[in-house]
Amino acid sequence: MTALARRISRPIQWRGMIADIVLAGLLLGPLAAPFLQAWGLLVPRTVSGIIYTMGMFVCPQPAQGLALYDGQSMAICMRCYGTVLGLLLTRLRYTADAGAGRGWLPRYGLRALPIFAALIFTYAAEFAGQAGGLWSFNNLMVTAAGLITGAGLGLMFHPIIQGQSTATGARACADGRL
């Protein structure tokens, strides 16, 4: 009975729950848009239109989206979707170790900024190389660049969003749990 009482009395982590809902929307929205568009009914097509409009605002190349169904493509390109997949992978890693592992960037303070910058600018460097004519659009290459950027964002921000303090990670290191 005490385990149940402890679970009930535990406060809900609203920030983390909202972040997980947003991440689920970012993962499922671009995939659902082509199917909703092909459905033909007014409400699904309207939702699809909203998803495609949002994709045009956040993605530099939404026309390069992967074709999924009936000639309709995803609402964003694979570079952007790779970023979301990187966020998902780091969220799953956070679920496994609760931010106590060595790879989480906030625990290193300002020393982590160069690593963070290198990870997140992979997206921009790849896009600049493509825009500059050094290489053409390649789904595998842009997905990898997005994945690296998403991992960098996740390694920096998941502990912060989920409410993990840097002191907890430092204590885990001192206790020898890492």
Side-chain angles (χ1 to χ4, degrees), residues 119-158:
L119 290 171
I120 65 168
F121 285 120
T122 304
Y123 180 110
E126 188 280 325
F127 183 61
Q130 181 199 346
L134 297 176
W135 51 77
S136 62
F137 188 90
N138 178 332
N139 272 326
L140 187 60
M141 189 174 187
V142 300
T143 304
L147 194 63
I148 292 167
T149 298
L153 289 167
L155 289 173
M156 178 60 85
F157 293 115
H158 276 307

Side-chain angles (χ1 to χ4, degrees), residues 35-173:
F35 298 101
L36 293 171
Q37 185 71 27
W39 197 337
L41 298 175
L42 179 62
V43 173
R45 288 179 65 90
T46 303
V47 172
S48 174
I50 292 168
I51 294 170
Y52 278 116
T53 301
M54 290 170 50
M56 287 189 308
F57 283 106
V58 299
C59 181
Q61 295 177 309
Q64 297 291 339
L66 198 61
L68 290 181
Y69 183 72
D70 199 28
Q72 299 290 327
S73 64
M74 289 177 60
I76 56 175
C77 70
M78 287 306 292
R79 186 184 302 111
C80 295
Y81 201 70
T83 304
V84 175
L85 291 175
L87 288 169
L88 173 66
L89 291 175
T90 54
R91 177 62 178 112
L92 294 174
R93 181 173 177 212
Y94 185 86
T95 300
D97 71 2
R102 295 177 191 248
W104 300 104
L105 297 178
R107 72 183 319 196
Y108 299 108
L110 293 176
R111 295 178 299 169
L113 286 179
I115 296 167
F116 177 63
L119 290 171
I120 65 168
F121 285 120
T122 304
Y123 180 110
E126 188 280 325
F127 183 61
Q130 181 199 346
L134 297 176
W135 51 77
S136 62
F137 188 90
N138 178 332
N139 272 326
L140 187 60
M141 189 174 187
V142 300
T143 304
L147 194 63
I148 292 167
T149 298
L153 289 167
L155 289 173
M156 178 60 85
F157 293 115
H158 276 307
I160 296 167
I161 290 171
Q162 299 296 333
Q164 173 73 26
S165 70
T166 56
T168 305
R171 264 187 268 126
C173 246

Side-chain angles (χ1 to χ4, degrees), residues 7 10-26 91 94-95 157-164:
R7 194 175 77 200
R10 187 177 52 194
I12 296 175
Q13 304 276 331
W14 286 107
R15 272 191 332 194
M17 188 183 328
I18 290 170
D20 290 343
I21 291 169
V22 168
L23 181 58
L26 291 172
R91 177 62 178 112
Y94 185 86
T95 300
F157 293 115
H158 276 307
I160 296 167
I161 290 171
Q162 299 296 333
Q164 173 73 26

